[in-house]
Amino acid sequence: MEYKSAVIYQIYPRSFCDANGDGIGDLPGISSKLDYLADLGVDILWLSPIFQSPNADNGYDISDYEAIMPEFGTMTDFENLLAGVHQRGMRLILDLVVNHSSDEHRWFRESRKSKDNPYRNYYIWKAPSTDPSGALPNNWQSFFSGPAWAFDPQTGEYYLHLFAEKQPDLNWENPALRQAIYRMMRFWLDKGVDGFRMDVIPFLAKDQTFPDYPAGRFGDLTIHANGPRIHEFLHEMHQEVMSRYTCITVGEGFGVSAAQANLYVGQGRQELDMIYHFDHAVPREESRFLDPAPEFTLPELKAIFARWNEALDVDSWQNIYFGNHDNPRILSRFGDPLGYHYQSATLLATVLLTQRGTPSLYQGDELGMTNCPFASIDEFDDIQVKNAWHALGMPTASSAQQARFLTNANQIARDHARTPMPWSNSPHAGFATEPTGPLYRPWLLVNPNYPVINVAQQTADAGSVLNFYRRLLHWRKQQPTLHYGTYRDLLPNHPTLWVFERTYENTRLTTAANWSALPVTLPESYGSVHVSNYPEAGEPRTLQPYEARVLLA
């Protein structure tokens, strides 16, 4: 299956479209919007988890890998969705979440019953430490605040959970567990699913000595990536599953450096097709809600993209992105939504869609969606925000400290990407397709700017962000240079210009983007304009605020 020329579109099912009026997006809602997605010009749909789950982490805590979450619909609804995707020439990949399950999964319910239960070793259990400094097996920390170990009084031992307490880590050292996962993967592929996006895939292999964090790196969760047997496990997964199907695999590469990428996606490795990195993701560990990291400068951002392009072998491949369900809105991070909404949104589209790699768009980015102004902690849903609020003592903190936390959460929290998709300027942004009555409320706050940022309004406006994305995506399909060409940053140190060259056979395309609100002059012309986000061409070598061009030499 050709994936190097494809574009992925990520759907967060809870927030995409509500077909039955219960306030939660669902599979029939996605089906009702397939023509919109096909017309947009994307090739592969990636669904965040749709499986049975108690929703401790919005579906990333799975209690039954082969059942659909009832609030999303039925297996028949899924099969209808899959058929509709294929009828329109698109592909569908599912989220594979197998570093951990829900504590409500049958395997874990059995595992905690006794130390000799057949499912005990499906998870990672440790006796209390004999160290007088504390009973925890080691000092590992959870992504969602606090220790990564939870005590279970029934057997008197701790289980590992690198995420929430309700997300116990699976024990990949156990061959029976691995085979159960491979059977589950074949279940979905046999249904016709086209592959998987693999959640925190580098975390599967744990250091079996379970050492404390090294000095100076307490709580550094990147340490959990690239464990001793990770490539053995991924190669086995490929042999047992992927090699038997025509499918796509995308690995979430948290903790994987550019220098390690070829081990996951190198030619002949027989592991993954693509990997995406976290080098430009928003730092969101607990302390950042009081002390956020500064945003990347443009030279820093360019250096990250250049480093990955230089590190990957010619046949290795990456998935590239600016936004996803784990990051705030890209326009609020990198653009100017108040002064140059259209220009900066379309600049981000131009830069991403002309990079080397398979791009992923996140739902709503094609509209220029922005961060949502949450007014209180009660309006947030994300477990990471709520746990950090309590871990940092915010309930009893001063009003100034609480306001600081809220200001920072309104900058970095994941919920900004999860607000309902705005389909129209009707009540609740047209999120529900059925009459809902006066008491209807979506599961999460609707961004209050939906009357001006919505699909219906932008579809009717030929000069909208949405229609720019449509034109650019359809143009991209005809450009082999963007699918297979090399990448070279021409001005790596320039503070506001991102100018890079893509070359393939006898064609050279150059993207020139002014990442600022001031005009800037290019050092040379680089060729004739093929794509521009400004309707009128200005001076040949002057880029207006947030202007982006693709030039043919």
Side-chain angles (χ1 to χ4, degrees), residues 271-282:
E271 294 189 20
L272 303 176
D273 293 324
M274 293 178 269
I275 194 165
Y276 69 89
H277 62 78
F278 276 60
D279 287 4
H280 63 322
V282 172

Side-chain angles (χ1 to χ4, degrees), residues 11-160:
I11 293 174
Y12 199 70
R14 295 180 69 82
S15 298
F16 195 64
C17 182
D18 173 14
N20 64 1
D22 66 354
I24 298 168
D26 46 44
L27 298 177
I30 299 170
S31 291
S32 74
K33 303 299 184 181
L34 289 179
D35 286 339
Y36 165 80
L37 295 166
D39 182 61
L40 179 60
V42 296
D43 307 289
I44 301 167
L45 306 183
W46 153 28
L47 300 187
S48 284
I50 57 171
F51 316 104
Q52 179 67 57
S53 167
N55 277 321
D57 186 24
N58 278 356
Y60 283 88
D61 50 315
I62 297 170
S63 56
D64 189 337
Y65 287 99
E66 297 180 11
I68 301 296
M69 192 184 306
E71 61 192 23
F72 287 160
T74 65
M75 188 63 77
T76 298
D77 291 327
F78 173 77
E79 291 164 350
N80 290 338
L81 170 61
L82 182 60
V85 169
H86 289 165
Q87 287 165 7
R88 290 163 177 81
M90 298 183 290
R91 298 290 179 262
L92 185 72
I93 62 175
L94 298 180
D95 231 315
L96 185 74
V97 187
V98 291
N99 174 73
H100 47 267
S101 74
S102 167
D103 66 348
E104 297 182 29
H105 195 289
R106 177 179 61 88
W107 297 341
F108 191 74
R109 293 200 311 267
E110 290 292 321
S111 181
R112 73 194 318 173
K113 285 181 178 178
S114 67
K115 293 180 182 179
D116 59 359
N117 188 282
Y119 289 92
R120 183 69 169 183
N121 289 330
Y122 272 46
Y123 295 88
I124 299 169
W125 293 92
K126 294 293 175 186
S129 170
T130 56
D131 189 322
S133 64
L136 293 171
N138 64 23
N139 66 357
W140 288 2
Q141 295 292 293
S142 162
F143 277 86
F144 296 155
S145 299
W149 298 94
F151 186 72
D152 189 61
Q154 186 156 336
T155 57
E157 291 192 336
Y158 289 87
Y159 66 85
L160 178 67

